[in-house]
Amino acid sequence: MANRSCIIRLSRYKNALNRLKTLNFVRVFSDNLADAAGVTAAQVRKDFSLFGITGNRRGGYKVDELSDQLNKILGKDQLQEVVVIGMGNIGKALFHYGGLEKSGIKVAAGFDIDPVKFDRDSSQPVLPLEGLVDFVRGHNIVLGVIAVPDYAAQQVLELMLSAGIRGVLNFAPICLKAPEGCIVNNINLESELENLIYFVNALEDGK
Ligand SMILES: NC(=O)c1ccc[n+]([C@@H]2O[C@H](COP(=O)([O-])OP(=O)(O)OC[C@H]3O[C@@H](n4cnc5c(N)ncnc54)[C@H](O)[C@@H]3O)[C@@H](O)[C@H]2O)c1
């Protein structure tokens, strides 16, 4: 089975492919995708071979075909609905980010406990947390984002799981454990920045 890094690379290849498409490329080679995704051509071929995608040494890959294959693997051949829990800075930013729809991801609704945030009658509503389970079940949604303070994250995760959510993107700075049958991706912006600082300092030291 492919690991997380491989899937992140596939997503990069797909974005690179979209850019090449706008430049009217009909065929691409692993070198083109490697350059655009910052990996080696051998890595591109290795990643593709995991999914049975084969090119041709002379002709490369057909852009349209490859694009369809990657979209299918990444589940982008159909619109994916997502709910966002916690409509503060992070939640609102995601909620209003138009770029997601272009990628086939629709934020169907936001949820919060603060009545000031509610907007029940909108086509993209913000609803009280109590309505989460019914909404998620009614819309067959399996993906959710946690954007609540750290102390509330575990409880929110449990509610999401009871609703049938199986994939969670967690922005709260605590590492939530994924129970069986669910995948939790913890995004810790602070750790990412610390990581960057460490490697920038290491670059400086290596001068
Ligand atoms: N804002 C940032 O730049 C940033 C950066 C890194 C990490 N984070 C983390 O992301 C999370 C969200 O950050 P933020 O800045 O958007 O916070 P915020 O305080 O602006 O918003 C949090 C929202 O969650 C709601 N909330 C609280 N408890 C809830 C519950 N049990 N159920 C549903 N909603 C609830 C609040 O009413 C509020 O609207 C936090 O855990 C924060 O530490 C934020």
Side-chain angles (χ1 to χ4, degrees):
M1 188 164 156
N3 62 25
R4 185 167 144 74
S5 311
C6 171
I7 299 301
I8 290 173
R9 286 194 298 274
L10 286 195
S11 183
R12 287 197 191 138
Y13 303 148
K14 183 220 12 121
N15 293 339
L17 207 55
N18 286 344
R19 284 195 297 275
L20 294 170
K21 241 177 176 179
T22 63
L23 298 172
N24 297 324
F25 275 63
V26 177
R27 287 180 174 273
V28 284
F29 293 87
S30 41
D31 301 42
N32 303 124
L33 292 171
D35 285 347
V39 295
T40 63
Q43 180 73 65
V44 174
R45 289 192 293 272
K46 194 172 164 203
D47 289 337
F48 285 175
S49 72
L50 262 182
F51 294 94
I53 300 175
T54 49
N56 155 332
R57 195 171 278 274
R58 285 211 182 146
Y61 304 88
K62 285 185 188 153
V63 169
D64 284 336
E65 236 171 61
L66 184 57
S67 179
D68 287 349
Q69 283 168 305
L70 291 181
N71 280 330
K72 197 159 184 215
I73 294 164
L74 296 169
K76 308 200 66 117
D77 49 341
Q78 54 190 33
L79 190 72
Q80 294 285 342
E81 289 196 306
V82 180
V83 285
V84 175
I85 326 299
M87 289 297 289
N89 295 306
I90 294 258
K92 261 195 274 178
L94 273 173
F95 197 72
H96 296 297
Y97 175 51
L100 288 180
E101 286 225 16
K102 279 186 222 139
S103 309
I105 298 164
K106 181 184 172 200
V107 181
F111 291 85
D112 208 291
I113 49 168
D114 180 359
V116 172
K117 310 272 166 70
F118 301 162
D119 181 8
R120 299 169 200 258
D121 298 326
S122 164
S123 58
Q124 193 192 23
V126 178
L127 303 168
L129 189 66
E130 297 83 70
L132 178 76
V133 173
D134 282 349
F135 188 92
V136 163
R137 288 186 184 158
H139 288 76
N140 283 322
I141 293 175
V142 292
L143 301 173
V145 176
I146 296 181
V148 300
D150 52 1
Y151 57 81
Q154 183 66 44
Q155 219 177 344
V156 164
L157 174 66
E158 275 154 31
L159 187 66
M160 291 164 92
L161 296 174
S162 73
I165 296 279
R166 289 189 286 117
V168 175
L169 194 61
N170 169 39
F171 282 95
I174 60 165
C175 197
L176 293 175
K177 289 231 164 59
E180 205 164 316
C182 176
I183 295 157
V184 179
N185 284 355
N186 292 293
I187 308 286
N188 191 322
L189 296 180
E190 206 179 315
S191 305
E192 294 292 337
L193 279 170
E194 280 171 1
N195 183 287
L196 202 55
I197 290 165
Y198 173 85
F199 283 106
V200 167
N201 285 341
L203 272 183
E204 296 289 314
D205 292 346
K207 267 185 188 167

